[in-house]
Amino acid sequence: MADIRVEKGDITQLSVDAIVNAANSTLLGGGGVDGAIHRAAGPELLAECRTLGGCRTGEAKITKGYKLPARYVIHTVGPIYSGSESDTDDLYNCYVNSLNLARDNDIHSIAFPSISTGVYGYPKDEAAEVSSKAVNDWAAENSSYDIEIIFCCFDDRSYELYREIFNV
Ligand code: AR6
């Protein structure tokens, strides 16, 4: 069963099996949570990312966590918000594909940032709806797999939105 939690804080500090990175398609680093993860993990993370050949929007790839407390980083690429229907599908797929990768790597605790809601401009309320649905759907389909899933909220607005959705 999945245990879904909402927490406030910096994802790079979390001692979980995997943290998810809101990356770009090059997987070679950037600002926001991506920059914070690379800074905290150290240069070996970038070296491993260079071997991956990038990542398509909505897909996910895994690396080790290096100096992070987390053992793995799952890198996924959210959509750059445009207001089209494909944004929803792409964002939904980021969560589902990250969770599939987690399951396939025997990961039993994972933390997500609010993908696409910074530089990529996805409205935070819509993103919280899509991501919570994706995680709930995945959990229902994988009910025999034990995993703790954390929505790690960096800003007050995201924290408020996820707490409302999950009634916590
Ligand atoms: N811990 C948890 N969440 C964080 C942290 C942190 N340390 N820092 C920021 N956030 P963004 P995007 C939240 O811009 O919109 C990068 O340059 C932040 O409050 O990091 O998917 C990449 O390389 C926001 O809610 O990612 C890409 O080019 C959320 O993380 C591009 O930005 C996502 O904001 C990706 O843009």
Side-chain angles (χ1 to χ4, degrees):
M1 249 183 58
D3 177 14
I4 300 173
R5 292 167 183 274
V6 180
E7 290 182 12
K8 178 114 203 304
D10 175 355
I11 203 164
T12 65
Q13 307 290 312
L14 297 184
S15 296
V16 285
D17 291 343
I19 61 171
V20 176
N21 183 16
N24 61 61
S25 57
T26 68
L27 297 185
L28 299 180
V33 70
D34 193 4
I37 289 171
H38 276 275
R39 273 194 301 279
E44 285 170 300
L45 178 61
L46 183 58
E48 186 176 356
C49 283
R50 284 193 201 286
T51 69
L52 298 178
C55 182
R56 290 198 192 90
T57 303
E59 295 185 359
K61 293 196 176 175
I62 191 166
T63 64
K64 289 187 272 184
Y66 300 98
K67 294 198 173 79
L68 289 163
R71 239 172 98 212
Y72 297 101
V73 180
I74 292 177
H75 306 261
T76 188
V77 182
I80 300 171
Y81 188 72
S82 68
S84 73
E85 228 172 80
S86 62
D87 294 340
T88 315
D89 295 342
D90 287 339
L91 188 62
Y92 186 97
N93 288 336
C94 284
Y95 287 85
V96 167
N97 287 326
S98 296
L99 288 166
N100 284 339
L101 202 49
R103 181 200 58 212
D104 296 347
N105 284 278
D106 202 31
I107 284 164
H108 292 277
S109 56
I110 184 170
F112 284 94
S114 186
I115 297 163
S116 283
T117 65
V119 176
Y120 281 0
Y122 212 115
K124 288 184 193 291
D125 53 347
E126 287 177 37
E129 292 292 340
V130 174
S131 56
S132 56
K133 182 171 185 337
V135 167
N136 279 331
D137 289 351
W138 186 89
E141 275 172 29
N142 292 271
S143 57
S144 61
Y145 191 79
D146 287 327
I147 186 165
E148 181 184 31
I149 303 170
I150 299 168
F151 285 101
C152 177
C153 305
F154 195 62
D155 55 275
D156 292 334
R157 181 75 186 126
S158 297
Y159 187 48
E160 192 184 306
L161 284 164
Y162 282 103
R163 283 177 63 200
E164 251 170 51
I165 289 172
F166 289 101
N167 219 356
V168 290

